Amino acid sequence: MSSPSLVDDDLIADLEARNLIHDSTDREFLRAAVTDGPVGIYYGCDPTADSLHVGNLIGLVVLRRFQDAGHRAIALAGGATGMVGDPGGRSEERNLLDEDTLTYNVTKIKEQLARVVDLTDEQRGVLVDNRDWTREIGVLEFLRDVGKHVTVNQMLARESIKVRINSEHGISFTEFSYMLLQANDYLWLHDNLDCSIQIGGSDQWGNIISGVDLIRRKRQAHVHAFSWPLLTASDGTKLGKTTGARVWLDATKTSPYQLRQYFMQTADADVETQLLTFSLRPVAEIKELAAAHWVAPQLRLGQKALADDMVTLIHGADAAAAATEAADLLFSKDPGAASEAAFETLAAEIPFSQMTAMQLAEAPSALVAMNLATSNGDARRTLAQKSYYVNGVQLDEKAELSTHKLVHGKYLLVRKGKKSHHLVEQVL
């Protein structure tokens, strides 16, 4: 994992240039602490699913930036807070998960974290689970050691709490206590792992600052925190969702190909912002890339760089190369030059079927079977219009699919028009 170039060798200035600091404790004290470092910095996410999603990626990349600059990255999987549920950004209470499910989710999340943040050396990066220090705390002990240092007035003043209190569903005492649990996490990490910075999205700022206050009251220590602005697309939609579904970091939920396509669909107006947010490229290089993108936006230079960077970061260079080759294969004039791995990747992403040479001999019925025509008559009319292509070769009404050369001895990539595809593997 290589280290990126920082703006004037100042990590906080680099984050500012990327618009990754929204709220912060005293900025100059924060800057001095980072400059004087190394520091321990933590980002937490609750294991409410067995995969993190693109929305978590900002926190992981910020941890990676600090780690590359020589600081200690602390990733917290909130097994305890996940049992309670964070009220922030929600209109109703989360479903509470049992301990076995949370343990499984934490295990899966660690695999995803380790691709972005180096966890092989605990002095550079470590994953912790807040159940380890929370499960043994008794109710009376927690109320005495944490609750007495936080006023209800402070808690009611937090925006996330106000929104939920005024909502149709209200807020349970369980979720109301979430802020105290998160504050206690920061205290424990400060005492045991020398952590002095907490980070998160701006919707978490109330919870984050509660931990800063608790450490000041209990330890008379000055610690730091900052948040980044919630990232939305230029159309106002929330980051990490596409057609209402999460974009996951687990390859079995969102494949490298699908992740690449997600970033390839980034609007031109959002490309520079997302590169600054997610890419480990230096700010100056991103600015140059953004300028080149706008000279010829139809080439999609910015989207390609963003997609390649993110798939490489999350799934590795080989997966990124296969995803790129598979995407290029769809519109290639010579699919025969593509690797077998590209066809295997594509087989999981577009309509795919296995057919015998006999089935392929009758082109109209074969095209109907591929759902590229509604009937034999429709297939014949479309063939006459020369709207079908097989392995990049245009077909006519006399076409016989079984006579076309198979790529890698087995594949036919069939295309109708510009966007409809079907991959066939010929079998005996």
Side-chain angles (χ1 to χ4, degrees), residues 187-351:
L187 176 65
W188 191 93
L189 293 171
H190 173 72
D191 289 348
N192 294 275
L193 296 181
D194 199 24
C195 179
S196 59
I197 301 177
Q198 183 184 359
I199 58 174
S202 58
D203 59 339
Q204 282 286 308
W205 186 242
N207 292 341
I208 292 171
I209 206 69
S210 294
V212 173
D213 289 342
L214 181 63
I215 293 169
R216 177 178 56 82
R217 291 172 183 272
K218 292 206 67 171
R219 301 290 183 260
Q220 292 74 53
H222 189 93
V223 294
H224 314 277
F226 68 87
S227 70
W228 47 82
L230 294 182
L231 188 60
T232 58
S234 55
D235 63 2
T237 57
K238 189 175 182 180
L239 175 73
K241 291 204 172 183
T242 177
T243 60
R246 286 287 189 191
V247 179
W248 302 100
L249 304 191
D250 185 331
T252 64
K253 290 176 174 286
T254 300
S255 69
Y257 177 90
Q258 292 164 345
L259 185 67
R260 181 186 187 277
Q261 295 307 102
Y262 168 76
F263 283 108
M264 283 297 296
Q265 293 165 13
T266 302
D268 290 328
D270 298 326
V271 165
E272 182 176 353
T273 296
Q274 294 210 19
L275 278 167
L276 288 168
T277 299
F278 295 119
S279 177
L280 296 176
R281 298 171 189 246
V283 170
E285 182 181 333
I286 291 171
K287 295 290 185 181
E288 291 175 3
L289 179 57
H293 172 85
W294 281 113
V295 171
Q298 72 278 8
L299 299 179
R300 304 180 70 75
L301 297 177
Q303 286 92 343
K304 289 177 181 177
L306 177 64
D308 288 346
D309 285 1
M310 300 325 299
V311 180
T312 299
L313 180 67
I314 297 165
H315 297 297
D318 290 345
T324 299
E325 190 180 8
D328 292 343
L329 176 58
L330 290 179
F331 304 101
S332 173
K333 292 182 180 179
D334 182 18
S339 69
E340 189 167 357
F343 280 91
E344 291 170 354
T345 297
L346 202 57
E349 305 299 340
I350 67 170

Side-chain angles (χ1 to χ4, degrees), residues 64-80:
R64 169 68 177 272
R65 295 188 201 284
F66 272 82
Q67 187 177 65
D68 284 345
H71 303 285
R72 188 185 195 190
I74 302 168
L76 183 147

Side-chain angles (χ1 to χ4, degrees), residues 96 256 283 326 406:
L96 304 184
V283 170
L406 300 170

Side-chain angles (χ1 to χ4, degrees), residues 6 59 69-70 78 88 123 146 201 243-244 247 255 295 307 310 321 396 400 409-410:
L6 303 180
Q123 294 308 307
V146 178
T243 60
V247 179
S255 69
V295 171
M310 300 325 299
D396 58 27
E400 294 183 16
K410 55 184 175 181

